[in-house]
Amino acid sequence: QQQVKQSPQSLIVQKGGISIINCAYENTAFDYFPWYQQFPGKGPALLIAIRPDVSEKKEGRFTISFNKSAKQFSLHIMDSQPGDSATYFCAASRGFSGAGSYQLTFGKGTKLSVIP
Amino acid sequence: DAMVIQNPRYQVTQFGKPVTLSCSQTLNHNVMYWYQQKSSQAPKLLFHYYDKDFNNEADTPDNFQSRRPNTSFCFLDIRSPGLGDAAMYLCATRTDNNQPQHFGDGTRLSIL
């Protein structure tokens, strides 16, 4: 019930295209859904995150779509650029709003390659 | 400027020789995490500190231990590294309430 399933494992998109990565979860107690971007040799960096009380969040070229009833969320990268080539991890956690620590459950990652 | 700093960036040790990885933070965050990330895999949580309270994941091997002498520093000790412990080790921090985790750039550990 703690799993977050991410697909696809790898994705090749042409420059200017739309990259879409999907995640699904089981635990309805999750209350925070971040996406992390990781370049080779670097730590994951928070890209964008959403709470379950909204269905969409947009920051620049990056949009999270969230479907609470289906327990799914996705990352859309508009006008994909070669510099977006990285590994993307979706994650989920519960207890984000409370005091104390919270733990992230990560998806397995998607390696995105944007070709010129 | 880096806010979660991990040293060294690359560490090579011999099979069975104890090794210590360090993490420091300038954010004054009260929660610090250690993750292990193997090639092409997601980060796996080893343990975390909430202030001085240590929380170990159930499947973290006894070979892995941690120390947090103060708010700014946290150490990962691997007592007898095996070949399977070769990985990237990531430190992350967080403060309370509605704040995300911030990751360092990791230490790449190789075992000879």
Side-chain angles (χ1 to χ4, degrees), chain A residues 32-37 45-51 56-65 73-77 88-91, chain B residues 100:
Chain A
Y32 174 66
F33 302 89
W35 285 89
Y36 282 85
Q37 179 189 54
L46 179 67
L47 189 62
I48 188 173
I50 198 167
R51 303 296 302 277
E56 186 174 282
K57 183 174 181 180
K58 184 175 180 179
E59 290 184 1
R61 296 184 294 109
F62 302 92
T63 300
I64 300 179
S65 296
F73 58 110
S74 60
L75 175 69
H76 295 236
I77 306 174
Y88 292 81
F89 292 96
C90 64

Side-chain angles (χ1 to χ4, degrees), chain B residues 41-99:
Chain B
Q41 295 185 20
K44 177 181 180 296
L45 183 65
L46 296 173
F47 26 60
H48 72 276
Y49 278 92
Y50 180 75
D51 291 328
K52 292 184 178 180
D53 292 333
F54 177 71
N55 298 271
N56 198 30
E57 291 301 294
D59 57 354
T60 298
D62 292 340
N63 201 24
F64 290 81
Q65 300 192 338
S66 185
R67 296 170 283 135
R68 189 179 186 186
N70 54 54
T71 299
S72 300
F73 286 88
C74 196
F75 300 98
L76 170 61
D77 300 308
I78 309 177
R79 290 191 296 184
S80 182
L83 296 178
D85 297 328
M88 174 81 87
Y89 289 88
L90 296 163
C91 174
T93 71
R94 183 222 172 185
T95 188
D96 278 339
N97 299 334
N98 299 317
Q99 297 301 316

